[in-house]
Amino acid sequence: MASFGWKRKIGEKVSKATSQQFEAEAADDKDLTDDDDADWVHATKRRKEVLLEDCVKKSKKLKDEGASLAENRRYREAIHKWDEALQLTPEDATLYEMKSQVLMSLHEMFPAVHAAEMAVQRNPRSWDAWQTLGRAQLGLGEIALAIRSFQVSLHIFPMNPEVWKEDLSWARKLHEQQKATKTEAVQTLAKEKELAQESIPDYDFESDEIVAVCAAIAEKEKALSAAKTVVIVSASGTVETVTEQENCPTAPDETRFIRAR
């Protein structure tokens, strides 16, 4: 029977020099592959950095163009520029803050508040973002929220005279007026309610005087219903009023032929 032991001995026929050469070539190929991978990663990283730098530069250019348009009161065009810039740098809080200011100039308070909130989310340490948010909230009538936003702005930058003397003082004044108006409205409503209650007399329908009056009225009505009044017109045109009792009715004579009740 043929032997199949050659499968186990095939490695013994490979020379040692050939094996070493194969291992050396494999190591060189691995080094080349590692170098290629490193170069590819480095190139990709560098490409991303270059792309990011280009985005930042283009975004800054669009931001400056929008600011110039806003200074010339071309607010819609400015917003369009800043929206393009936000596509390139969506984490730029300054773009949202400037957009909120322009929206307030257009009296679009809801979008202005939203833009200012986005600015605060992107950069919670930005005192001017909190100031803009407070002003937008004042435009919506949210005085308490505006006061809080101005206080946060002052907490970040305590030496800002604009927020302290203008924004916060004005918001507090409005808050005091709002409270006074609410108090006056409550007092007016209470007075109206009190007058309404006073206009309705508090009758005691079970008192002896009321019962006596009701009994007298009932007796009078009973007496009037017991007697009947008859109007009789004679042939000569004479009108006569006759009161007849239920028990003994008055019978007209033969000369009277027209009778009316």
Side-chain angles (χ1 to χ4, degrees):
M1 182 179 293
S3 176
F4 293 95
W6 60 272
K7 290 184 178 180
R8 294 192 302 271
K9 297 179 181 180
I10 188 170
E12 297 175 359
K13 295 181 181 180
V14 180
S15 65
K16 185 176 182 180
T18 304
S19 177
Q20 292 176 350
Q21 183 180 0
F22 176 78
E23 292 176 356
E25 291 176 355
D28 293 339
D29 292 341
K30 183 178 180 181
D31 292 338
L32 290 174
T33 303
D34 292 341
D35 292 340
D36 293 340
D37 290 342
D39 292 341
W40 180 82
V41 171
H42 178 72
T44 303
K45 185 177 180 181
R46 180 56 185 166
R47 191 178 300 112
K48 289 182 178 178
E49 291 175 354
V50 172
L51 182 61
L52 181 60
E53 291 175 359
D54 291 341
C55 289
V56 171
K57 289 180 180 179
K58 188 174 181 180
S59 176
K60 185 178 184 304
K61 181 181 178 182
L62 291 169
K63 181 194 296 185
D64 294 339
E65 291 176 358
S68 178
L69 291 169
E71 289 177 358
N72 294 322
R73 299 181 181 274
R74 298 165 63 180
Y75 298 133
R76 294 295 180 186
E77 298 177 50
I79 292 175
H80 180 69
K81 292 290 184 181
W82 291 334
D83 286 338
E84 289 183 2
L86 284 171
Q87 296 296 323
L88 300 172
T89 54
E91 298 301 319
D92 192 344
T94 308
L95 289 170
Y96 284 106
E97 191 270 332
M98 292 191 301
K99 184 178 178 180
S100 177
Q101 292 187 48
V102 170
L103 288 169
M104 280 190 284
S105 299
L106 294 172
H107 304 286
E108 298 182 8
M109 294 305 172
F110 281 104
V113 170
H114 177 70
E117 288 175 346
M118 295 294 288
V120 168
Q121 291 176 9
R122 297 301 190 273
N123 187 8
R125 300 295 302 171
S126 174
W127 65 266
D128 49 352
W130 282 103
Q131 181 189 25
T132 301
L133 176 59
R135 290 178 176 179
Q137 289 168 336
L138 271 183
L140 280 182
E142 297 292 343
I143 301 176
L145 294 177
I147 290 175
R148 179 185 176 278
S149 297
F150 293 142
Q151 288 173 342
V152 174
S153 179
L154 281 174
H155 179 75
I156 298 171
F157 184 23
M159 302 305 295
N160 188 347
E162 183 181 14
V163 177
W164 180 261
K165 295 180 180 180
E166 296 180 12
D167 296 315
L168 186 58
S169 61
W170 173 246
R172 285 177 172 172
K173 183 178 180 180
L174 291 177
H175 192 245
E176 293 297 327
Q177 291 178 355
Q178 187 182 51
K179 290 195 299 183
T181 302
K182 288 183 178 179
T183 302
E184 184 179 356
V186 171
Q187 292 176 352
T188 303
L189 183 63
K191 289 181 179 179
E192 291 178 354
K193 185 177 180 181
E194 184 178 355
L195 290 174
Q197 291 177 351
E198 290 178 356
S199 62
I200 302 176
D202 188 11
Y203 292 115
D204 185 5
F205 293 100
E206 296 183 357
S207 63
D208 296 337
E209 292 82 0
I210 298 297
V211 173
V213 170
C214 292
I217 293 174
E219 289 294 331
K220 185 176 180 181
E221 291 292 334
K222 184 177 180 182
L224 291 175
S225 62
K228 294 182 180 180
T229 302
V230 179
V231 179
I232 300 174
V233 181
S234 64
S236 60
T238 304
V239 179
E240 182 180 357
T241 301
V242 179
T243 301
E244 59 180 6
Q245 301 294 329
E246 291 184 352
N247 295 331
C248 52
T250 303
D253 56 19
E254 296 178 354
T255 61
R256 296 170 182 167
F257 61 90
I258 300 176
R259 186 172 182 177
R261 291 186 181 274

